[in-house]
Amino acid sequence: QVQLAESGGGLVQAGGSLRLSCVSSGSRFRFSSMNWYRQAPGKQRELVAGITDGATGVYGDSVKGRFTISRDSVKNTVYLQMDSLKPEDTGVYYCNAAGVYTRRSYEYWGQGTQVTVSS
């Protein structure tokens, strides 16, 4: 059974930094993309950043230039380095992994980690 385990969330002041990690386990195949989403109270879940198997990164407009996504395929881990944090970055951050195996598409979610940025 595939599991995604996030860590690294917490409380930080505006302008500070956090590094989130997501370790995947139990997969029989390599994920074509691993992504970070976030959900703020009362808002829809949104894509923060994603990275493909080829290490191409994409970012939401609100985090471009401040967040960096990276992937360690040996450790089955994806990271999100968050710098210059703002109060509007507050939310629950979810790790997401997607891929195709034996012609079927699969998608998995972690339980989420809380990030709170104080002003």
Side-chain angles (χ1 to χ4, degrees):
Q1 185 174 355
V2 175
Q3 291 186 327
L4 302 178
E6 302 107 331
S7 62
L11 174 64
V12 64
Q13 288 188 334
S17 298
L18 283 174
R19 189 191 194 206
L20 305 183
S21 300
C22 172
V23 181
S24 67
S25 61
S27 177
R28 296 183 178 181
F29 60 94
R30 190 179 176 90
F31 297 119
S32 58
S33 68
M34 295 192 75
N35 313 288
W36 287 98
Y37 287 76
R38 70 185 178 195
Q39 187 164 19
K43 295 187 177 181
Q44 289 187 331
R45 191 173 295 188
E46 62 173 348
L47 176 67
V48 176
I51 188 165
T52 66
D53 192 21
T56 300
V58 294
Y59 298 91
D61 288 340
S62 63
V63 307
K64 284 180 181 177
R66 300 187 297 121
F67 290 11
T68 304
I69 190 169
S70 60
R71 182 173 181 173
D72 186 331
S73 297
V74 174
K75 296 181 179 180
N76 294 323
T77 302
V78 61
Y79 304 96
L80 184 67
Q81 177 66 42
M82 305 187 293
D83 298 317
S84 302
L85 282 161
K86 304 176 181 180
E88 50 263 44
D89 294 318
T90 294
V92 179
Y93 283 67
Y94 296 92
C95 180
N96 166 274
V100 176
Y101 181 66
T102 60
R103 301 183 182 180
R104 291 183 60 185
S105 297
Y106 293 86
E107 185 176 36
Y108 303 97
W109 292 89
Q111 293 297 310
T113 184
Q114 177 70 44
V115 171
T116 303
V117 184
S118 63
S119 58

